[in-house]
Amino acid sequence: MKILTFSTLFPNAAKPHHGIFTETTLRHQLATGEIQAKVVAPVPWFPFTHKAFGQYGVMARAPKVETRVGVEVFHPRYTVIPKVGMYLQPAGIARAAKPVIARMIDEGYDFDVIDAHYFFPDGVAAAMLAKYFRKPLIISALGTDINLIPQYPRARSMIKWAGEQATHSITVCEALRREMIGFGMDGSRITTLRNGVDLELFHPIDRAAARKELGMTDFTLLSVGYLDPRKGHEHIIGALPQLPGVRLLIAGSGPDKAKLEAVATAAGVAERVTFLGPLPQDKLRQYYGAADALVLASSREGWANVLLEAMACGTPVVASNVWGTPEVVRVPESGVLMPSRDAAGVAAGVQQLRANYPDHAATRAYAELYSWDDTTRGQIDLFRRAAQQPMQAKARATASAS
C-alpha cells in the first residue's frame, strides 16, 4: 500500500527537529514493511536565508527535495502573510502542493491514501487536495489544532469541513475526540490512537554516571519545550523559592528566553536555573535519565510526547492536569498531576512526588505499556479501510448500472 504523508510539521535539513513526531510516526509505519511512502511537507516561502531573519530564514534554507527515513520528502513553498493570512494558508498550501503531487502521480507513485497531520491549516489543505485528486484522506488531530485554533469561528468551520471530507480522523487522546464531537464532528468517524514512545531510543542509562557528567548534585527538575507562555516555564521558575535546594534545567528555544531569564532573576533563583537550548534526542535522553523529575506546566496539550520519553528513561513527571495529560499520568509510578497550573501548583506537585518517589524501574515498566506497536497497527488498519472505500463505491456503482 502506498501512502502520501502530508504536513507542514515535518523535519528538514535546515530544521531537523521541526515536527519530529510526524517523522517518528512515519518511521514506525515503514518498519512494518506493509507500506511505501512519500512525504509532502510544505514550508513558508521567504526570499532570504540569513540568520538575521530568524525562523523564516531557517525555513528558507530547507531543500526542495531531500531523503529522510529512506523516503523522498518534498518541500514546496507557500506564501505566508503574517498576522492577516491565517485563513488563506490552507488554500495557499494546497496550491503549492498540487503540482508536486500531480507530478508524483504522473511519474508512477499513484498513492492509495493521504495521511495528513494537524487539522489547521494542514488538514484543511489536505482535504482540498484529496477532493481534487479523488483520494481517501486520514487526518490526525494533535493538540492546539483542536484545543486552541477552533476558538476562531471561521477556522472552526474550516476544520469541521475538513473532518467531513476526511474518510476518517485520528486523535491522540480522548479529550481531543470529545472536543471534536462537541463542535459537531461525527464521532463514529474519529478514532483515538495515542502516540507511542520509542523504547529503544529512550531507555534508562547509568543515572549516577550521567549525573556526574552533567554536574547534577541537587534534586534536579527538567523542563522541555518551546519557550513561550503556553509551556508554562515561568510557573516552574516561580516555584523554586518554595523548593529550596532544587535546581531547574530548561531545554528548548523560543522567543521568551530573555523574559524567563528576567523571571528567574526577579525571583532570586537565577543561579538555580540553566537554559540548555535545543537538544538532539540522544542528548535529551541523557538529561531525561539524569534528572529527578520532568516538569510540564503547559496550558494545553494533546498527547505530550515528552512525558512518555522521560518515563521511558525511568524518570517520573509532574504535569499540569490539562487535556490529554491525565490520560498519560495515570498511576503513581508515572508521576503526579499538579493541583493547579501556577507556581504554587508546581511546588505542591514536586513536593508530593518527592514524598512518595517511585522506583525508576517501575516508571520504565509503565512506559513500556505505550510502545508504538498498537498505534501503528491501528493507523495502517485505517489506511487499508480508507483505501478500500473508493473500490467499494465503484463496485456499488457498477452493480447499480447493470
Side-chain angles (χ1 to χ4, degrees), residues 197 201-205 207 210-211 214 216 220 222-225 249 251 276 279-295 304-317 357 360:
V197 60
L201 175 61
F202 296 103
H203 58 78
I205 59 174
R207 188 172 292 267
R211 288 178 68 84
L214 298 174
M216 293 186 194
T220 302
L222 175 65
S223 180
V224 179
L249 306 177
L276 303 172
L279 298 175
Q281 288 192 307
D282 57 346
K283 191 66 175 177
L284 186 57
R285 175 183 60 209
Q286 186 180 24
Y287 279 94
Y288 281 141
D292 293 288
L294 174 83
V295 183
N305 295 324
V306 295
L307 296 173
L308 282 175
E309 290 170 0
M311 294 177 204
C313 295
T315 299
V317 306
Y357 195 84
H360 293 300

mmCIF file of all heavy atoms in Angstrom, residues 197 201-205 207 210-211 214 216 220 222-225 249 251 276 279-295 304-317 357 360:
data_model
loop_
_atom_site.group_PDB
_atom_site.id
_atom_site.type_symbol
_atom_site.label_atom_id
_atom_site.label_comp_id
_atom_site.label_asym_id
_atom_site.label_seq_id
_atom_site.Cartn_x
_atom_site.Cartn_y
_atom_site.Cartn_z
ATOM 1 N N VAL A 197 5.902 5.689 22.402
ATOM 2 C CA VAL A 197 7.230 6.199 22.729
ATOM 3 C C VAL A 197 8.250 5.221 22.173
ATOM 4 O O VAL A 197 8.034 3.998 22.191
ATOM 5 C CB VAL A 197 7.402 6.387 24.253
ATOM 6 C CG1 VAL A 197 7.234 5.071 25.004
ATOM 7 C CG2 VAL A 197 8.741 7.032 24.579
ATOM 8 N N LEU A 201 15.083 4.142 21.667
ATOM 9 C CA LEU A 201 15.801 5.415 21.753
ATOM 10 C C LEU A 201 15.823 5.947 23.179
ATOM 11 O O LEU A 201 16.864 6.382 23.699
ATOM 12 C CB LEU A 201 15.158 6.439 20.817
ATOM 13 C CG LEU A 201 15.719 7.864 20.882
ATOM 14 C CD1 LEU A 201 17.189 7.902 20.505
ATOM 15 C CD2 LEU A 201 14.902 8.793 19.974
ATOM 16 N N PHE A 202 14.657 5.912 23.829
ATOM 17 C CA PHE A 202 14.549 6.430 25.195
ATOM 18 C C PHE A 202 14.532 5.250 26.166
ATOM 19 O O PHE A 202 13.560 4.496 26.229
ATOM 20 C CB PHE A 202 13.291 7.296 25.336
ATOM 21 C CG PHE A 202 13.327 8.528 24.475
ATOM 22 C CD1 PHE A 202 12.599 8.594 23.295
ATOM 23 C CD2 PHE A 202 14.128 9.602 24.824
ATOM 24 C CE1 PHE A 202 12.650 9.721 22.485
ATOM 25 C CE2 PHE A 202 14.192 10.733 24.018
ATOM 26 C CZ PHE A 202 13.454 10.791 22.848
ATOM 27 N N HIS A 203 15.605 5.104 26.893
ATOM 28 C CA HIS A 203 15.755 3.974 27.799
ATOM 29 C C HIS A 203 16.601 4.394 28.988
ATOM 30 O O HIS A 203 17.317 5.407 28.946
ATOM 31 C CB HIS A 203 16.418 2.800 27.067
ATOM 32 C CG HIS A 203 17.764 3.135 26.483
ATOM 33 N ND1 HIS A 203 18.919 3.213 27.243
ATOM 34 C CD2 HIS A 203 18.138 3.439 25.213
ATOM 35 C CE1 HIS A 203 19.942 3.535 26.481
ATOM 36 N NE2 HIS A 203 19.499 3.679 25.243
ATOM 37 N N PRO A 204 16.534 3.654 30.090
ATOM 38 C CA PRO A 204 17.340 4.004 31.269
ATOM 39 C C PRO A 204 18.834 3.941 30.959
ATOM 40 O O PRO A 204 19.285 3.103 30.178
ATOM 41 C CB PRO A 204 16.937 2.935 32.295
ATOM 42 C CG PRO A 204 15.579 2.484 31.860
ATOM 43 C CD PRO A 204 15.611 2.532 30.357
ATOM 44 N N ILE A 205 19.574 4.850 31.553
ATOM 45 C CA ILE A 205 21.024 4.884 31.415
ATOM 46 C C ILE A 205 21.640 4.761 32.803
ATOM 47 O O ILE A 205 20.923 4.634 33.799
ATOM 48 C CB ILE A 205 21.478 6.198 30.735
ATOM 49 C CG1 ILE A 205 21.020 7.410 31.571
ATOM 50 C CG2 ILE A 205 20.927 6.291 29.323
ATOM 51 C CD1 ILE A 205 21.543 8.734 31.058
ATOM 52 N N ARG A 207 22.396 6.225 35.676
ATOM 53 C CA ARG A 207 21.951 7.513 36.228
ATOM 54 C C ARG A 207 23.068 8.221 36.995
ATOM 55 O O ARG A 207 23.291 9.424 36.836
ATOM 56 C CB ARG A 207 20.727 7.283 37.118
ATOM 57 C CG ARG A 207 20.029 8.533 37.601
ATOM 58 C CD ARG A 207 18.723 8.168 38.309
ATOM 59 N NE ARG A 207 17.748 7.636 37.356
ATOM 60 C CZ ARG A 207 16.846 8.399 36.741
ATOM 61 N NH1 ARG A 207 16.790 9.695 36.975
ATOM 62 N NH2 ARG A 207 15.998 7.854 35.907
ATOM 63 N N ALA A 210 25.646 9.605 34.582
ATOM 64 C CA ALA A 210 25.125 10.748 33.832
ATOM 65 C C ALA A 210 25.050 11.996 34.712
ATOM 66 O O ALA A 210 25.385 13.103 34.274
ATOM 67 C CB ALA A 210 23.751 10.409 33.263
ATOM 68 N N ARG A 211 24.621 11.821 35.953
ATOM 69 C CA ARG A 211 24.540 12.968 36.856
ATOM 70 C C ARG A 211 25.937 13.555 37.110
ATOM 71 O O ARG A 211 26.113 14.778 37.154
ATOM 72 C CB ARG A 211 23.878 12.552 38.174
ATOM 73 C CG ARG A 211 22.383 12.290 38.054
ATOM 74 C CD ARG A 211 21.776 11.839 39.377
ATOM 75 N NE ARG A 211 21.788 12.909 40.366
ATOM 76 C CZ ARG A 211 20.868 13.860 40.481
ATOM 77 N NH1 ARG A 211 19.843 13.898 39.637
ATOM 78 N NH2 ARG A 211 20.939 14.767 41.422
ATOM 79 N N LEU A 214 27.039 15.470 33.986
ATOM 80 C CA LEU A 214 26.296 16.714 33.776
ATOM 81 C C LEU A 214 26.372 17.655 34.974
ATOM 82 O O LEU A 214 25.763 18.726 34.952
ATOM 83 C CB LEU A 214 24.830 16.385 33.460
ATOM 84 C CG LEU A 214 24.605 15.563 32.180
ATOM 85 C CD1 LEU A 214 23.138 15.162 32.055
ATOM 86 C CD2 LEU A 214 25.051 16.350 30.945
ATOM 87 N N MET A 216 25.181 17.248 38.068
ATOM 88 C CA MET A 216 23.974 17.289 38.902
ATOM 89 C C MET A 216 24.287 16.734 40.290
ATOM 90 O O MET A 216 24.700 15.576 40.418
ATOM 91 C CB MET A 216 22.843 16.464 38.273
ATOM 92 C CG MET A 216 22.306 17.002 36.988
ATOM 93 S SD MET A 216 20.860 16.011 36.448
ATOM 94 C CE MET A 216 20.685 16.569 34.759
ATOM 95 N N THR A 220 17.060 17.677 40.866
ATOM 96 C CA THR A 220 17.052 18.442 39.618
ATOM 97 C C THR A 220 15.783 18.193 38.809
ATOM 98 O O THR A 220 15.422 17.046 38.527
ATOM 99 C CB THR A 220 18.281 18.079 38.756
ATOM 100 O OG1 THR A 220 19.468 18.346 39.515
ATOM 101 C CG2 THR A 220 18.314 18.907 37.484
ATOM 102 N N LEU A 222 13.708 18.945 35.200
ATOM 103 C CA LEU A 222 13.942 19.208 33.789
ATOM 104 C C LEU A 222 12.630 19.648 33.158
ATOM 105 O O LEU A 222 11.594 19.010 33.361
ATOM 106 C CB LEU A 222 14.452 17.939 33.092
ATOM 107 C CG LEU A 222 14.647 18.014 31.574
ATOM 108 C CD1 LEU A 222 15.753 18.996 31.210
ATOM 109 C CD2 LEU A 222 14.962 16.616 31.011
ATOM 110 N N SER A 223 12.665 20.748 32.415
ATOM 111 C CA SER A 223 11.505 21.207 31.656
ATOM 112 C C SER A 223 11.904 21.242 30.194
ATOM 113 O O SER A 223 12.954 21.800 29.843
ATOM 114 C CB SER A 223 11.068 22.603 32.127
ATOM 115 O OG SER A 223 9.935 23.056 31.398
ATOM 116 N N VAL A 224 11.093 20.638 29.328
ATOM 117 C CA VAL A 224 11.430 20.517 27.906
ATOM 118 C C VAL A 224 10.295 21.102 27.081
ATOM 119 O O VAL A 224 9.142 20.696 27.229
ATOM 120 C CB VAL A 224 11.658 19.046 27.515
ATOM 121 C CG1 VAL A 224 11.985 18.930 26.030
ATOM 122 C CG2 VAL A 224 12.768 18.427 28.349
ATOM 123 N N GLY A 225 10.611 22.042 26.209
ATOM 124 C CA GLY A 225 9.571 22.589 25.344
ATOM 125 C C GLY A 225 9.913 23.970 24.836
ATOM 126 O O GLY A 225 10.848 24.631 25.315
ATOM 127 N N LEU A 249 16.590 22.742 34.986
ATOM 128 C CA LEU A 249 17.191 22.795 33.654
ATOM 129 C C LEU A 249 16.064 22.941 32.636
ATOM 130 O O LEU A 249 15.063 22.216 32.710
ATOM 131 C CB LEU A 249 17.973 21.514 33.362
ATOM 132 C CG LEU A 249 19.030 21.101 34.389
ATOM 133 C CD1 LEU A 249 19.664 19.770 33.983
ATOM 134 C CD2 LEU A 249 20.085 22.184 34.534
ATOM 135 N N ALA A 251 15.227 22.866 28.604
ATOM 136 C CA ALA A 251 15.691 22.511 27.263
ATOM 137 C C ALA A 251 14.691 23.025 26.231
ATOM 138 O O ALA A 251 13.503 22.726 26.316
ATOM 139 C CB ALA A 251 15.846 20.997 27.136
ATOM 140 N N LEU A 276 19.409 25.231 28.558
ATOM 141 C CA LEU A 276 20.233 24.301 27.785
ATOM 142 C C LEU A 276 20.152 24.537 26.287
ATOM 143 O O LEU A 276 20.987 24.019 25.536
ATOM 144 C CB LEU A 276 19.796 22.860 28.080
ATOM 145 C CG LEU A 276 19.842 22.412 29.539
ATOM 146 C CD1 LEU A 276 19.192 21.035 29.677
ATOM 147 C CD2 LEU A 276 21.273 22.395 30.058
ATOM 148 N N LEU A 279 18.027 20.519 22.252
ATOM 149 C CA LEU A 279 18.910 19.359 22.368
ATOM 150 C C LEU A 279 18.501 18.281 21.374
ATOM 151 O O LEU A 279 17.300 18.020 21.202
ATOM 152 C CB LEU A 279 18.844 18.762 23.777
ATOM 153 C CG LEU A 279 19.287 19.653 24.940
ATOM 154 C CD1 LEU A 279 19.042 18.928 26.268
ATOM 155 C CD2 LEU A 279 20.750 20.032 24.812
ATOM 156 N N PRO A 280 19.466 17.621 20.728
ATOM 157 C CA PRO A 280 19.123 16.446 19.909
ATOM 158 C C PRO A 280 18.616 15.335 20.815
ATOM 159 O O PRO A 280 18.889 15.317 22.022
ATOM 160 C CB PRO A 280 20.456 16.082 19.256
ATOM 161 C CG PRO A 280 21.502 16.644 20.165
ATOM 162 C CD PRO A 280 20.908 17.889 20.756
ATOM 163 N N GLN A 281 17.887 14.395 20.237
ATOM 164 C CA GLN A 281 17.201 13.408 21.056
ATOM 165 C C GLN A 281 18.150 12.529 21.866
ATOM 166 O O GLN A 281 17.831 12.151 22.998
ATOM 167 C CB GLN A 281 16.288 12.549 20.184
ATOM 168 C CG GLN A 281 15.056 13.327 19.697
ATOM 169 C CD GLN A 281 14.020 12.429 19.088
ATOM 170 O OE1 GLN A 281 14.308 11.644 18.196
ATOM 171 N NE2 GLN A 281 12.795 12.530 19.545
ATOM 172 N N ASP A 282 19.326 12.209 21.313
ATOM 173 C CA ASP A 282 20.229 11.373 22.090
ATOM 174 C C ASP A 282 20.786 12.127 23.298
ATOM 175 O O ASP A 282 20.993 11.550 24.371
ATOM 176 C CB ASP A 282 21.364 10.835 21.216
ATOM 177 C CG ASP A 282 22.162 11.933 20.535
ATOM 178 O OD1 ASP A 282 21.704 13.097 20.502
ATOM 179 O OD2 ASP A 282 23.262 11.636 20.016
ATOM 180 N N LYS A 283 20.995 13.430 23.157
ATOM 181 C CA LYS A 283 21.449 14.227 24.295
ATOM 182 C C LYS A 283 20.304 14.458 25.277
ATOM 183 O O LYS A 283 20.490 14.432 26.500
ATOM 184 C CB LYS A 283 21.982 15.575 23.794
ATOM 185 C CG LYS A 283 22.717 16.379 24.866
ATOM 186 C CD LYS A 283 24.001 15.700 25.313
ATOM 187 C CE LYS A 283 24.791 16.550 26.282
ATOM 188 N NZ LYS A 283 26.006 15.870 26.775
ATOM 189 N N LEU A 284 19.094 14.638 24.754
ATOM 190 C CA LEU A 284 17.932 14.808 25.616
ATOM 191 C C LEU A 284 17.725 13.558 26.470
ATOM 192 O O LEU A 284 17.383 13.652 27.659
ATOM 193 C CB LEU A 284 16.698 15.082 24.752
ATOM 194 C CG LEU A 284 15.397 15.442 25.478
ATOM 195 C CD1 LEU A 284 15.572 16.662 26.361
ATOM 196 C CD2 LEU A 284 14.287 15.683 24.451
ATOM 197 N N ARG A 285 17.952 12.389 25.884
ATOM 198 C CA ARG A 285 17.837 11.140 26.635
ATOM 199 C C ARG A 285 18.755 11.150 27.861
ATOM 200 O O ARG A 285 18.383 10.691 28.944
ATOM 201 C CB ARG A 285 18.195 9.964 25.730
ATOM 202 C CG ARG A 285 18.217 8.604 26.437
ATOM 203 C CD ARG A 285 18.638 7.513 25.489
ATOM 204 N NE ARG A 285 19.963 7.746 24.956
ATOM 205 C CZ ARG A 285 20.369 7.326 23.752
ATOM 206 N NH1 ARG A 285 19.543 6.666 22.964
ATOM 207 N NH2 ARG A 285 21.591 7.578 23.344
ATOM 208 N N GLN A 286 19.957 11.686 27.715
ATOM 209 C CA GLN A 286 20.892 11.741 28.834
ATOM 210 C C GLN A 286 20.340 12.619 29.955
ATOM 211 O O GLN A 286 20.432 12.262 31.137
ATOM 212 C CB GLN A 286 22.245 12.273 28.365
ATOM 213 C CG GLN A 286 23.329 12.223 29.436
ATOM 214 C CD GLN A 286 24.654 12.763 28.937
ATOM 215 O OE1 GLN A 286 24.712 13.551 27.993
ATOM 216 N NE2 GLN A 286 25.742 12.346 29.574
ATOM 217 N N TYR A 287 19.742 13.746 29.586
ATOM 218 C CA TYR A 287 19.171 14.629 30.610
ATOM 219 C C TYR A 287 17.924 14.009 31.243
ATOM 220 O O TYR A 287 17.722 14.119 32.460
ATOM 221 C CB TYR A 287 18.850 15.997 30.005
ATOM 222 C CG TYR A 287 20.060 16.891 29.918
ATOM 223 C CD1 TYR A 287 20.825 16.964 28.768
ATOM 224 C CD2 TYR A 287 20.444 17.674 31.010
ATOM 225 C CE1 TYR A 287 21.946 17.782 28.694
ATOM 226 C CE2 TYR A 287 21.562 18.497 30.950
ATOM 227 C CZ TYR A 287 22.309 18.549 29.792
ATOM 228 O OH TYR A 287 23.420 19.353 29.732
ATOM 229 N N TYR A 288 17.086 13.357 30.422
ATOM 230 C CA TYR A 288 15.939 12.644 30.994
ATOM 231 C C TYR A 288 16.419 11.632 32.034
ATOM 232 O O TYR A 288 15.867 11.521 33.130
ATOM 233 C CB TYR A 288 15.194 11.858 29.902
ATOM 234 C CG TYR A 288 14.257 12.629 29.011
ATOM 235 C CD1 TYR A 288 14.185 12.317 27.650
ATOM 236 C CD2 TYR A 288 13.406 13.604 29.506
ATOM 237 C CE1 TYR A 288 13.307 12.977 26.799
ATOM 238 C CE2 TYR A 288 12.527 14.277 28.666
ATOM 239 C CZ TYR A 288 12.475 13.959 27.314
ATOM 240 O OH TYR A 288 11.606 14.609 26.491
ATOM 241 N N GLY A 289 17.436 10.863 31.666
ATOM 242 C CA GLY A 289 17.896 9.793 32.532
ATOM 243 C C GLY A 289 18.613 10.259 33.774
ATOM 244 O O GLY A 289 18.697 9.522 34.763
ATOM 245 N N ALA A 290 19.132 11.487 33.757
ATOM 246 C CA ALA A 290 19.863 12.017 34.910
ATOM 247 C C ALA A 290 18.982 12.834 35.850
ATOM 248 O O ALA A 290 19.231 12.879 37.064
ATOM 249 C CB ALA A 290 21.028 12.878 34.430
ATOM 250 N N ALA A 291 17.961 13.486 35.318
ATOM 251 C CA ALA A 291 17.108 14.359 36.136
ATOM 252 C C ALA A 291 16.284 13.547 37.126
ATOM 253 O O ALA A 291 16.034 12.349 36.936
ATOM 254 C CB ALA A 291 16.196 15.177 35.234
ATOM 255 N N ASP A 292 15.834 14.223 38.171
ATOM 256 C CA ASP A 292 14.974 13.570 39.160
ATOM 257 C C ASP A 292 13.507 13.596 38.756
ATOM 258 O O ASP A 292 12.740 12.725 39.154
ATOM 259 C CB ASP A 292 15.149 14.258 40.520
ATOM 260 C CG ASP A 292 16.544 14.037 41.083
ATOM 261 O OD1 ASP A 292 16.840 12.913 41.505
ATOM 262 O OD2 ASP A 292 17.342 14.994 41.074
ATOM 263 N N ALA A 293 13.121 14.597 37.964
ATOM 264 C CA ALA A 293 11.732 14.679 37.515
ATOM 265 C C ALA A 293 11.650 15.579 36.293
ATOM 266 O O ALA A 293 12.393 16.568 36.184
ATOM 267 C CB ALA A 293 10.822 15.218 38.613
ATOM 268 N N LEU A 294 10.772 15.229 35.388
ATOM 269 C CA LEU A 294 10.390 16.133 34.303
ATOM 270 C C LEU A 294 9.178 16.917 34.773
ATOM 271 O O LEU A 294 8.236 16.337 35.342
ATOM 272 C CB LEU A 294 10.028 15.352 33.044
ATOM 273 C CG LEU A 294 9.471 16.227 31.922
ATOM 274 C CD1 LEU A 294 10.596 16.872 31.137
ATOM 275 C CD2 LEU A 294 8.561 15.436 30.986
ATOM 276 N N VAL A 295 9.169 18.222 34.535
ATOM 277 C CA VAL A 295 8.007 19.043 34.890
ATOM 278 C C VAL A 295 7.439 19.654 33.618
ATOM 279 O O VAL A 295 8.170 20.279 32.838
ATOM 280 C CB VAL A 295 8.375 20.156 35.888
ATOM 281 C CG1 VAL A 295 7.121 20.937 36.285
ATOM 282 C CG2 VAL A 295 9.027 19.562 37.131
ATOM 283 N N ALA A 304 1.384 14.843 25.139
ATOM 284 C CA ALA A 304 2.737 15.395 25.221
ATOM 285 C C ALA A 304 3.774 14.283 25.175
ATOM 286 O O ALA A 304 3.913 13.503 26.127
ATOM 287 C CB ALA A 304 2.892 16.219 26.491
ATOM 288 N N ASN A 305 4.517 14.195 24.093
ATOM 289 C CA ASN A 305 5.498 13.120 23.921
ATOM 290 C C ASN A 305 6.577 13.142 24.995
ATOM 291 O O ASN A 305 7.099 12.092 25.374
ATOM 292 C CB ASN A 305 6.144 13.222 22.537
ATOM 293 C CG ASN A 305 5.150 12.977 21.421
ATOM 294 O OD1 ASN A 305 4.259 12.151 21.548
ATOM 295 N ND2 ASN A 305 5.286 13.712 20.331
ATOM 296 N N VAL A 306 6.909 14.341 25.500
ATOM 297 C CA VAL A 306 7.999 14.428 26.481
ATOM 298 C C VAL A 306 7.680 13.646 27.752
ATOM 299 O O VAL A 306 8.597 13.178 28.440
ATOM 300 C CB VAL A 306 8.325 15.902 26.829
ATOM 301 C CG1 VAL A 306 8.858 16.626 25.607
ATOM 302 C CG2 VAL A 306 7.126 16.623 27.426
ATOM 303 N N LEU A 307 6.410 13.483 28.076
ATOM 304 C CA LEU A 307 6.048 12.761 29.298
ATOM 305 C C LEU A 307 6.490 11.306 29.215
ATOM 306 O O LEU A 307 7.169 10.788 30.107
ATOM 307 C CB LEU A 307 4.535 12.839 29.531
ATOM 308 C CG LEU A 307 3.967 14.241 29.796
ATOM 309 C CD1 LEU A 307 2.449 14.202 29.835
ATOM 310 C CD2 LEU A 307 4.522 14.814 31.091
ATOM 311 N N LEU A 308 6.112 10.631 28.129
ATOM 312 C CA LEU A 308 6.488 9.227 27.986
ATOM 313 C C LEU A 308 7.976 9.062 27.711
ATOM 314 O O LEU A 308 8.580 8.057 28.102
ATOM 315 C CB LEU A 308 5.670 8.565 26.884
ATOM 316 C CG LEU A 308 4.235 8.182 27.257
ATOM 317 C CD1 LEU A 308 3.491 7.657 26.047
ATOM 318 C CD2 LEU A 308 4.211 7.146 28.379
ATOM 319 N N GLU A 309 8.585 10.033 27.048
ATOM 320 C CA GLU A 309 10.019 9.957 26.817
ATOM 321 C C GLU A 309 10.775 9.927 28.145
ATOM 322 O O GLU A 309 11.696 9.124 28.345
ATOM 323 C CB GLU A 309 10.478 11.127 25.953
ATOM 324 C CG GLU A 309 10.007 11.030 24.505
ATOM 325 C CD GLU A 309 10.252 12.290 23.698
ATOM 326 O OE1 GLU A 309 10.800 13.267 24.257
ATOM 327 O OE2 GLU A 309 9.888 12.313 22.507
ATOM 328 N N ALA A 310 10.381 10.819 29.057
ATOM 329 C CA ALA A 310 11.019 10.844 30.374
ATOM 330 C C ALA A 310 10.759 9.543 31.126
ATOM 331 O O ALA A 310 11.678 8.945 31.704
ATOM 332 C CB ALA A 310 10.512 12.031 31.185
ATOM 333 N N MET A 311 9.511 9.087 31.121
ATOM 334 C CA MET A 311 9.175 7.854 31.829
ATOM 335 C C MET A 311 9.941 6.657 31.260
ATOM 336 O O MET A 311 10.361 5.772 32.003
ATOM 337 C CB MET A 311 7.673 7.597 31.740
ATOM 338 C CG MET A 311 6.799 8.601 32.454
ATOM 339 S SD MET A 311 5.051 8.200 32.157
ATOM 340 C CE MET A 311 4.273 9.784 32.428
ATOM 341 N N ALA A 312 10.114 6.628 29.941
ATOM 342 C CA ALA A 312 10.844 5.528 29.324
ATOM 343 C C ALA A 312 12.296 5.502 29.783
ATOM 344 O O ALA A 312 12.937 4.445 29.772
ATOM 345 C CB ALA A 312 10.778 5.635 27.804
ATOM 346 N N CYS A 313 12.801 6.650 30.210
ATOM 347 C CA CYS A 313 14.159 6.732 30.766
ATOM 348 C C CYS A 313 14.160 6.489 32.273
ATOM 349 O O CYS A 313 15.203 6.610 32.928
ATOM 350 C CB CYS A 313 14.766 8.098 30.447
ATOM 351 S SG CYS A 313 15.019 8.391 28.676
ATOM 352 N N GLY A 314 12.983 6.162 32.821
ATOM 353 C CA GLY A 314 12.867 5.859 34.243
ATOM 354 C C GLY A 314 12.613 7.061 35.124
ATOM 355 O O GLY A 314 12.661 6.946 36.356
ATOM 356 N N THR A 315 12.302 8.207 34.523
ATOM 357 C CA THR A 315 12.133 9.447 35.284
ATOM 358 C C THR A 315 10.662 9.835 35.389
ATOM 359 O O THR A 315 9.997 10.017 34.355
ATOM 360 C CB THR A 315 12.933 10.584 34.625
ATOM 361 O OG1 THR A 315 14.314 10.226 34.629
ATOM 362 C CG2 THR A 315 12.749 11.890 35.358
ATOM 363 N N PRO A 316 10.128 9.973 36.599
ATOM 364 C CA PRO A 316 8.723 10.347 36.763
ATOM 365 C C PRO A 316 8.492 11.816 36.424
ATOM 366 O O PRO A 316 9.447 12.592 36.276
ATOM 367 C CB PRO A 316 8.463 10.075 38.245
ATOM 368 C CG PRO A 316 9.799 10.288 38.891
ATOM 369 C CD PRO A 316 10.817 9.798 37.891
ATOM 370 N N VAL A 317 7.213 12.194 36.331
ATOM 371 C CA VAL A 317 6.869 13.538 35.867
ATOM 372 C C VAL A 317 5.949 14.241 36.866
ATOM 373 O O VAL A 317 5.258 13.604 37.664
ATOM 374 C CB VAL A 317 6.185 13.491 34.485
ATOM 375 C CG1 VAL A 317 7.040 12.725 33.484
ATOM 376 C CG2 VAL A 317 4.787 12.884 34.565
ATOM 377 N N TYR A 357 8.296 9.061 46.165
ATOM 378 C CA TYR A 357 9.039 8.967 44.904
ATOM 379 C C TYR A 357 9.031 7.520 44.392
ATOM 380 O O TYR A 357 9.368 6.589 45.127
ATOM 381 C CB TYR A 357 10.480 9.430 45.116
ATOM 382 C CG TYR A 357 11.213 9.711 43.822
ATOM 383 C CD1 TYR A 357 11.085 10.935 43.183
ATOM 384 C CD2 TYR A 357 12.016 8.739 43.245
ATOM 385 C CE1 TYR A 357 11.748 11.198 42.000
ATOM 386 C CE2 TYR A 357 12.685 8.980 42.055
ATOM 387 C CZ TYR A 357 12.548 10.217 41.435
ATOM 388 O OH TYR A 357 13.200 10.479 40.252
ATOM 389 N N HIS A 360 12.549 3.860 39.861
ATOM 390 C CA HIS A 360 12.820 4.169 38.461
ATOM 391 C C HIS A 360 12.447 3.006 37.547
ATOM 392 O O HIS A 360 11.922 3.220 36.445
ATOM 393 C CB HIS A 360 14.303 4.516 38.275
ATOM 394 C CG HIS A 360 14.716 5.788 38.945
ATOM 395 N ND1 HIS A 360 14.159 7.020 38.629
ATOM 396 C CD2 HIS A 360 15.639 6.032 39.918
ATOM 397 C CE1 HIS A 360 14.733 7.958 39.371
ATOM 398 N NE2 HIS A 360 15.614 7.390 40.171
#
